[in-house]
Amino acid sequence: MRQLIFLFIIYTSFISLGLPDSLLGVAWPKMVGEFHVAHSAAGIISMTIAICTVIASLQTVRFTKKFGTGKLVLGSVLLTASGLIGFAFTQNFFLLIVAALPLGLGAGAIDTSLNDYVSVNLKAHHMNWLHAFWGVGATLGPIIMGIVLNNDVSWRNGYLIIGGIQLMLAMILFLSLPLWRQSEQKVSTETEETTAPFVEVLKQRGVVFSLLSFVFYVGLEGIIFLWGSSYLIEVKSLSVATASFIISMFFASLTMGRIVSGFITFWLSNQKLLLYSEITLLLGILTVAFGKGSVMYVGFTLVGLGCAAIFPTMIHETPRRFGKRNSRAIIGLQVAFGYVGITVLPPLAGVLFQGFSMNLFPPFLVIFALILLGATIVIEKLKMQRNMGS
């Protein structure tokens, strides 16, 4: 029973990570008029959050050693709550940027510390379900904000409600600290606590390919989030409502796919699940490229199902691929490089789409998916060579 409660707390923490992720996009059309800034100014806020997330991800090893995972996650949820409540009360754009700082720092620490804990201490199905709970949070956030806006209530109340939910989650985490202490004492007796410096970690064979995988996978997700609807409207001549619904099918299949993938890991290895997922992703992209009309539902559903297990499985494979001693540092780098991918690649793709053609959308996704598949194969070959040499 104690273990089930502890698992529930870990999953709940990832709901808190997902809750703020989609809020800015939903609320910004209402926010922009109040702050008298250009519509594109949302990019400054999102960039601030992303940079702080990268910084926090790279510092998580040090803070986890100092405070422990439980206290770090608690502090991080409090940081995100303070950022959200700051958004609710600030009256000028500069202070919005200030409020974005704790939002990004909290997200990076939660993401890295929990991914590391689950990858080292729990089985693959828990990693997939953990990321499914991120999907629950990422879905609930816009729903809550949407209800607020549809009732002609200020967007500030939406941020305040979600900030309040974060504070309730922080209270649950505070009460759970004894469970975290017991778990971490057990882990410290079973695993070596020393961690190699980042420079040494990067020299380990296969790590660079792993980081490339995160850049291009998360960048691929970001391009779908940002440009998928535009592609369906401009190239496939679908209505705005139909395009929005098809993209929502992608999110739904991504979340449901992670739940199903958790069960699949009971009889399929991580390595096979990763390869099958990447092949399914490629099939989905090709369906999107060559299909028309209602076939787009099938295409984006396949893309979502293909994506579902990739991120959590790559994270969970880190200790097996590179050893438990270095997993915390490598996961910090993986999360950081993932945020670099989603920060840089979607805007870059947008510039090219605007300058040339929206028809480039599927080729971009195919190239990214092929890089991902190639990197996965190379990492496994290097792992086999290390095993043969040892």
Side-chain angles (χ1 to χ4, degrees), residues 98-365:
V98 173
L101 299 176
L103 205 54
L105 293 171
I110 295 170
D111 206 348
T112 305
S113 58
L114 286 180
N115 274 310
D116 172 64
Y117 183 88
V118 174
S119 68
V120 172
N121 300 291
L122 299 174
K123 295 190 180 296
H125 56 275
H126 289 298
M127 183 63 82
N128 280 282
W129 292 340
L130 181 75
H131 284 266
F133 273 77
W134 171 87
V136 170
T139 304
L140 283 176
I143 289 172
I144 292 169
M145 184 63 79
I147 291 170
V148 167
L149 295 177
N150 286 337
N151 284 281
D152 295 323
V153 180
S154 171
W155 58 269
R156 296 177 185 277
N157 290 322
Y159 272 101
L160 206 55
I161 290 167
I162 293 167
I165 293 171
Q166 296 284 59
L167 289 176
M168 287 190 286
L169 293 173
M171 181 60 70
I172 293 170
L173 284 164
F174 177 76
L175 296 173
S176 75
L177 284 178
L179 292 175
W180 284 103
R181 279 194 290 269
Q182 290 172 17
S183 172
E184 286 167 6
Q185 285 168 3
K186 181 182 175 184
V187 169
S188 65
T189 61
E190 294 174 354
T191 61
E192 189 179 355
E193 285 294 304
T194 57
T195 303
F198 281 127
V199 175
E200 184 181 325
V201 165
L202 285 170
K203 290 179 181 177
Q204 191 170 340
R205 294 180 73 191
V207 169
V208 171
F209 289 100
S210 175
L211 299 181
L212 278 175
S213 298
F214 278 84
V215 170
F216 285 102
Y217 170 71
V218 181
L220 179 146
E221 261 194 9
I223 288 173
I224 294 170
F225 294 169
L226 193 58
W227 302 112
S229 185
S230 298
Y231 172 76
L232 290 170
I233 294 164
E234 292 180 27
V235 177
K236 299 297 179 178
S237 302
L238 299 177
S239 69
V240 173
T242 302
S244 299
F245 189 74
I246 290 172
I247 296 300
S248 73
M249 291 290 291
F250 165 78
F251 283 107
S253 60
L254 181 70
T255 302
M256 289 304 299
R258 284 177 174 169
I259 296 170
V260 173
S261 296
F263 291 104
I264 291 173
T265 58
F266 286 108
W267 54 271
L268 198 67
S269 69
N270 273 349
Q271 300 95 296
K272 288 182 179 177
L273 177 60
L274 196 52
L275 284 171
Y276 294 160
S277 295
E278 289 164 358
I279 291 167
T280 302
L281 172 59
L282 272 169
L283 288 172
I285 295 167
L286 292 173
T287 304
V288 168
F290 297 107
K292 293 181 179 179
S294 59
V295 175
M296 291 297 100
Y297 289 93
V298 178
F300 274 92
T301 298
L302 279 174
V303 171
L305 291 173
C307 285
I310 292 175
F311 190 97
T313 304
M314 290 196 302
I315 290 279
H316 196 264
E317 277 288 271
T318 301
R320 186 194 69 86
R321 285 172 165 178
F322 308 112
K324 289 184 179 181
R325 176 176 178 261
N326 295 326
S327 66
R328 185 173 291 164
I330 293 170
I331 288 171
L333 286 168
Q334 287 169 339
V335 172
F337 271 70
Y339 277 100
V340 169
I342 201 167
T343 303
V344 174
L345 295 179
L348 177 62
V351 171
L352 293 172
F353 295 159
Q354 186 175 345
F356 295 95
S357 170
M358 202 69 218
N359 283 299
L360 290 173
F361 177 80
F364 255 73
L365 300 186

